[in-house]
Amino acid sequence: MKLNDAVRDSWNACSDDYFAMEYGQPETLNLLKADPLRAFPPAVRQTIRTIFPDLHGKRVCVPSSGDNLAAFAFSLLGADVTSCDLAERQLENAEKIAAAQGWTLRFHACDSMEMTGIPDKSFDLVYTSNGVNTWISDLTSMYRQFYRILKHGGVYLFFDTHPFNRPFDDETNILQVKKHYDDTRGNDWRVQDLFGSLLQSGFTVTQMNEFSADRDTLGAAWWEPEEWDEKSDWHKNPYAALPQWISFCAEKRTAQNTAENACRPAE
């Protein structure tokens, strides 16, 4: 069995329980409908506003969509959304929620490193969120696919766990090293891996942000609610002095593009 087959089978097996946990209570959907931008950390929200002040009429692809929180948010913001995931059951559960809410999204099963069935130059924005990279064994292959499916001038935006966190044990309030930063086993990518793979894929990186977790971002809680005040205070927990998240904005540029057009709205 190939690794990706095992990943797909694992997520298909746990998907029903996963969605029941994420959406078993109406609170998450109610908060999302009240403010779709809460699906993104504040730094990412600002980048989205900069790229697309108005998402109506824009085509957005969300590969490795998982809980589909970002896909739902983009749809609520007016975008034409295609949600992709390796695990078919994840998409089936997300489609049930969308149908019950009256939301119109496209759902397509494919590997993010292949994006089979997704046509070239068809999206204004490709977006992936936290947790995606750890499932990816070849970042450059994935980014090249994202580059392929974007229109010229289109943007790839993602945020994920900051690699600086990977060497440390976050279970204690003592800053304790558990592995070397250069140990990328388990797809624990370094900053240079993220940045270099984007460049190798043809992207122009136009923005990078490093930031701390935000307790009000839906689906991206770093600590349990009852732990937040103590765990997020770096005077009490040195681990909190590290940035929890990292985001990159990268553009598919044509020869005529210039540096001052960084992260401009796609045409």
Side-chain angles (χ1 to χ4, degrees), residues 14-15 43 47 55 62 66-68 97 102 115 118-120 149 154 158 163 173 181 192 206 214 233 237 252-253:
C14 72
S15 180
T47 302
L55 276 160
V62 184
D67 61 11
N68 276 261
I97 291 174
M115 299 303 289
I118 301 296
D120 297 353
I149 68 175
F158 78 86
N173 284 4
Y181 179 70
Q192 72 182 56
T206 56
D214 171 70
D233 184 346
N237 176 21
K252 180 176 181 176
R253 291 189 170 181

Side-chain angles (χ1 to χ4, degrees), residues 25 30 37 43 45 48 55 64 72 82-83 126 129 133 144 176 199 257 261:
Q25 301 296 324
N30 289 339
L37 285 170
R45 294 173 209 168
I48 292 171
L55 276 160
S64 297
F72 295 154
T82 298
S83 167
V126 173
S129 57
N133 289 337
R144 282 176 175 163
Q176 181 173 323
L199 296 183
N257 288 139
N261 290 326

Side-chain angles (χ1 to χ4, degrees), residues 179-228:
K179 60 173 288 186
H180 197 283
Y181 179 70
D182 287 335
D183 182 357
T184 58
R185 288 174 296 179
N187 303 333
D188 281 353
W189 304 112
R190 300 163 298 179
V191 174
Q192 72 182 56
D193 299 317
L194 301 173
F195 188 79
S197 294
L198 287 168
L199 296 183
Q200 291 175 38
S201 304
F203 282 107
T204 298
V205 176
T206 56
Q207 188 179 119
M208 184 185 86
N209 288 313
E210 303 167 291
F211 48 97
S212 298
D214 171 70
R215 70 190 307 169
D216 293 324
T217 301
L218 298 176
W222 197 264
W223 295 285
E224 295 298 324
E226 62 274 12
E227 300 179 314
W228 193 277

Side-chain angles (χ1 to χ4, degrees), residues 134-155:
T134 193
W135 299 102
I136 303 302
S137 59
D138 187 339
L139 287 175
T140 303
S141 290
M142 180 174 73
Y143 294 161
R144 282 176 175 163
Q145 289 300 319
F146 296 169
Y147 187 92
R148 176 183 67 80
I149 68 175
L150 279 167
K151 300 175 183 178
H152 289 300
V155 169

Side-chain angles (χ1 to χ4, degrees), residues 91-104:
L91 297 174
E92 291 169 3
N93 280 315
E95 191 167 11
K96 289 178 184 177
I97 291 174
Q101 296 293 326
W103 301 335
T104 302

